[in-house]
Amino acid sequence: GQSLEQPSEVTAVEGAIVQINCTYQTSGFYGLSWYQQHDGGAPTFLSYNALDGLEETGRFSSFLSRSDSYGYLLLQELQMKDSASYFCAVRVRTGANNLFFGTGTRLTVIP
Amino acid sequence: DGGITQSPKYLFRKEGQNVTLSCEQNLNHDAMYWYRQDPGQGLRLIYYSQIVNDFQKGDIAEGYSVSREKKESFPLTVTSAQKNPTAFYLCASSILPGQGFEQYFGPGTRLTVT
């Protein structure tokens, strides 16, 4: 089976940096993705890590350590619009893009 | 504009009735997925399809059925056998693995069964 752990809530100040951690236990692992979801909206893709290290995309970065079964999403220069839920998801099958999602971290950005 | 459409946005049904949720994509993606999301929870995979006329059960397929007669369409039927059908249903699509890993989501259908 699979399990993912991420904090349920995080609060941070506008302009600051916040890190959302994700630890996973899976029977197979091919990569870690991050998705953003605003209330009532559709999830949108942020990043994907298959190999150890840091991937940077604008204000967002994602890190993976396969040996530690751990990853994180780093959001810099926080903006009010970043208030949303953030989900880590593991790709668990070769030959498919099937994802197993964590329960999400609700980020609240305050002025 | 390319994208995924789901209709309707809100759906209300009486207990014991089957209901079909629509999902259409014009992204020319081979793979399509159905997820269920409950309040404060992550997404759970119901069914997925990687090619026309073929689909596989996900983690919570009981009480649901799907079809994939066309590449663009992947409707989900919530049957009366689903014990707790009230939820937010999300459809997604992607290109095949090896070419990319991003899933594109539709706006979702919020189903309420009373």
Side-chain angles (χ1 to χ4, degrees):
Chain A
Q2 297 89 26
S3 71
L4 290 93
E5 284 193 24
Q6 50 181 132
S8 58
E9 294 182 352
V10 172
T11 301
V13 178
E14 189 177 13
I17 299 173
V18 70
Q19 177 173 313
I20 299 174
N21 298 322
C22 175
T23 58
Y24 59 87
Q25 287 186 319
T26 67
S27 53
F29 179 84
Y30 297 93
L32 184 71
S33 292
W34 288 92
Y35 283 78
Q36 178 193 61
Q37 185 182 33
H38 287 97
D39 285 347
T44 56
F45 174 81
L46 294 176
S47 68
Y48 176 75
N49 294 67
L51 303 175
D52 286 358
L54 190 68
E55 296 278 346
E56 297 180 71
T57 308
R59 294 189 297 115
F60 294 180
S61 303
S62 58
F63 173 82
L64 175 66
S65 169
R66 294 175 69 116
S67 61
D68 295 323
S69 298
Y70 164 76
Y72 66 72
L73 180 69
L74 191 73
L75 295 82
Q76 303 182 73
E77 301 172 20
L78 281 172
Q79 301 176 7
M80 300 298 290
K81 67 178 182 179
D82 296 330
S83 292
S85 292
Y86 293 85
F87 295 88
C88 58
V90 292
R91 180 171 164 251
V92 297
R93 282 192 51 173
T94 186
N97 276 339
N98 292 11
L99 296 173
F100 183 85
F101 282 81
T103 54
T105 297
R106 187 173 185 87
L107 170 64
T108 301
V109 180
I110 58 176
Chain B
D1 285 338
I4 301 178
T5 57
Q6 292 185 244
S7 60
K9 189 170 179 65
Y10 298 94
L11 191 54
F12 298 88
R13 280 292 183 271
K14 294 290 189 184
E15 195 173 319
Q17 294 179 335
N18 291 356
V19 59
T20 297
L21 282 58
S22 166
C23 177
E24 304 278 333
Q25 56 99 358
N26 61 3
L27 299 167
N28 199 33
H29 286 169
D30 288 290
M32 296 187 74
Y33 314 81
W34 273 106
Y35 293 91
R36 169 187 174 132
Q37 186 175 31
D38 294 285
Q41 298 296 314
L43 285 69
R44 291 183 290 167
L45 182 65
I46 304 172
Y47 268 98
Y48 66 97
S49 167
Q50 296 197 90
I51 194 170
V52 174
N53 292 322
D54 185 60
F55 48 83
Q56 305 295 329
K57 293 182 179 180
D59 301 315
I60 55 164
E62 186 175 348
Y64 299 97
S65 65
V66 293
S67 62
R68 187 86 187 278
E69 296 177 1
K70 298 186 298 182
K71 187 175 183 178
E72 304 79 21
S73 179
F74 191 40
L76 173 75
T77 297
V78 184
T79 76
S80 57
Q82 168 50 234
K83 299 304 180 189
N84 186 18
T86 294
F88 188 43
Y89 290 89
L90 288 156
C91 178
S93 70
S94 73
I95 58 178
L96 292 176
Q99 300 169 5
F101 304 102
E102 178 177 354
Q103 289 193 11
Y104 295 79
F105 284 83
T109 292
R110 195 168 298 277
L111 173 65
T112 302
V113 177
T114 57

